[in-house]
Amino acid sequence: MVTDAQLDLLIQEIADYHGYDFSDYSRASFKRRIDRIYQLDRFADFTAFLSRVRTDPEYFKRLIEEITVNVTEMFRDPGFYRALRQQILPQLAPKPFIRIWHAGCSTGEEVYSMAIVLEELNLLQKSLIYATDLSTDVLLSARKGVFPLRTMKQYSENYLASGGANDFSQYYIANYGYAKFSDRLSQKMVFSQHNLVSDRSFNEFDLILCRNVMIYFDQALQDRAIALFDASLARLGYLALGSKETLKFSALGKRYEQIPGEKIWKKLT
């Protein structure tokens, strides 16, 4: 097990050598994930682990994967997507162009879910979805739009529960145990690395989604991320968070109105 002092040293070394700042991540979550990879890889001592993190770029990428991994699936929380379909996206429909940001998009399942809803509302052609994550590896996977075929049954059930009325299989081609989603969806997506800790706003958006990412942040980092989203969101735009995340304790919360029943807020000023 990694000690608290060793954890502090690791955080500092990652910042110094690689420019990633994890000092404001949830301490318990960060330690749990470091302990896991430290034990899995059977390091003789912490010095050997630290040296590998410093000098081996491929191993460092794996470490980032372990720290930032998010559980995701298509149409996760169907009620949330039903609200997008019935309440939020129709409000954005009159706009000549719709910009959407998926922050912390992981392997892209929710990005493709959004594209499917937009297509069914005849909004995809005038929309652009920016999908960002800290990890370059998960972005590479997300760009491909390829997911295990065994997950399609659950994803199809989620889709139908979210208000989808089509045959879900029309959106992908099955081959060799994998489902490849249509290029007509991915052509409206832009995938890019973005660090919520250190990077700035890069556009103005009508809808920002950052679901089940900030639960791994401490309060200071949550405040920083919310300020970034606020700076990136157009007036009367929408911010969607995860089921355990809220604007309730944010100083910026008074600028927003929550959509009843969902973790979605409308920016009023």
Side-chain angles (χ1 to χ4, degrees):
M1 302 289 283
V2 176
T3 68
D4 286 344
Q6 289 170 336
L7 202 65
D8 288 336
L9 179 59
L10 175 64
I11 290 170
Q12 186 60 54
E13 293 289 288
I14 290 175
D16 290 346
Y17 279 80
H18 301 286
Y20 291 83
D21 183 3
F22 290 105
S23 60
D24 288 330
Y25 270 62
S26 165
R27 187 78 172 192
S29 176
F30 186 79
K31 186 178 189 305
R32 184 168 58 251
R33 294 182 183 201
I34 294 300
D35 281 340
R36 181 177 183 276
I37 196 169
Y38 186 82
Q39 292 170 5
L40 281 175
D41 294 346
R42 300 179 181 275
F43 284 96
D45 53 47
F46 183 75
T47 301
F49 173 61
L50 198 60
S51 176
R52 187 83 180 274
V53 171
R54 287 172 179 162
T55 61
D56 186 339
E58 289 303 314
Y59 187 77
F60 178 70
K61 285 172 65 177
R62 179 166 176 263
L63 180 73
I64 293 296
E65 289 285 314
E66 184 67 28
I67 294 171
T68 62
V69 64
N70 291 310
V71 177
T72 185
E73 62 184 41
M74 294 193 75
F75 294 94
R76 184 183 186 185
D77 303 325
F80 169 80
Y81 282 92
R82 194 181 310 114
L84 288 181
R85 183 189 296 273
Q86 297 176 356
Q87 300 178 57
I88 307 305
L89 293 174
Q91 294 297 315
L92 301 178
K95 288 179 170 286
F97 193 76
I98 302 170
R99 289 185 176 86
I100 298 170
W101 178 17
H102 272 271
C105 69
S106 191
T107 43
E109 285 88 339
E110 295 190 57
V111 183
Y112 283 86
S113 302
M114 174 64 74
I116 288 171
V117 175
L118 287 167
E119 180 169 87
E120 293 183 356
L121 295 177
N122 295 316
L123 298 175
L124 185 61
Q125 287 307 307
K126 67 170 185 176
S127 301
L128 192 59
I129 306 171
Y130 294 79
T132 66
D133 201 277
L134 181 62
S135 168
T136 55
D137 282 353
V138 298
L139 288 170
L140 182 62
S141 176
R143 279 191 187 96
K144 295 176 182 177
V146 176
F147 308 110
L149 193 58
R150 67 178 183 276
T151 62
M152 290 303 111
K153 181 177 183 297
Q154 180 63 56
Y155 293 175
S156 177
E157 292 174 359
N158 289 353
Y159 163 75
L160 292 173
S162 75
N166 295 333
D167 180 351
F168 187 64
S169 64
Q170 77 178 51
Y171 295 109
Y172 64 84
I173 297 173
N175 201 6
Y176 298 105
Y178 289 92
K180 170 69 172 70
F181 278 76
S182 172
D183 289 343
R184 73 179 184 273
L185 303 176
S186 58
Q187 69 182 358
K188 303 302 293 185
M189 303 172 186
V190 176
F191 291 94
S192 181
Q193 186 181 34
H194 185 275
N195 188 336
L196 290 175
V197 177
S198 59
D199 292 343
R200 297 181 179 181
S201 174
F202 58 93
N203 212 323
E204 184 176 81
F205 298 95
D206 303 297
L207 171 61
I208 298 176
L209 303 96
C210 185
R211 304 180 68 224
N212 306 304
V213 175
M214 293 197 299
I215 55 174
Y216 301 112
F217 297 172
D218 72 5
Q219 189 61 52
L221 186 49
Q222 287 183 26
D223 290 342
R224 198 182 314 172
I226 290 170
L228 171 65
F229 298 145
D230 183 68
S232 305
L233 194 62
R235 182 177 176 274
L236 303 182
Y238 295 89
L239 174 63
L241 303 179
S243 59
K244 296 181 180 179
E245 299 163 334
T246 184
L247 290 185
K248 183 178 180 180
F249 304 108
S250 170
L252 296 172
K254 61 182 178 295
R255 301 177 62 178
Y256 291 79
E257 177 183 75
Q258 187 172 0
I259 304 303
E262 293 297 332
K263 291 299 184 77
I264 305 173
W265 284 262
K266 183 176 185 178
K267 185 176 181 179
L268 301 177
T269 61

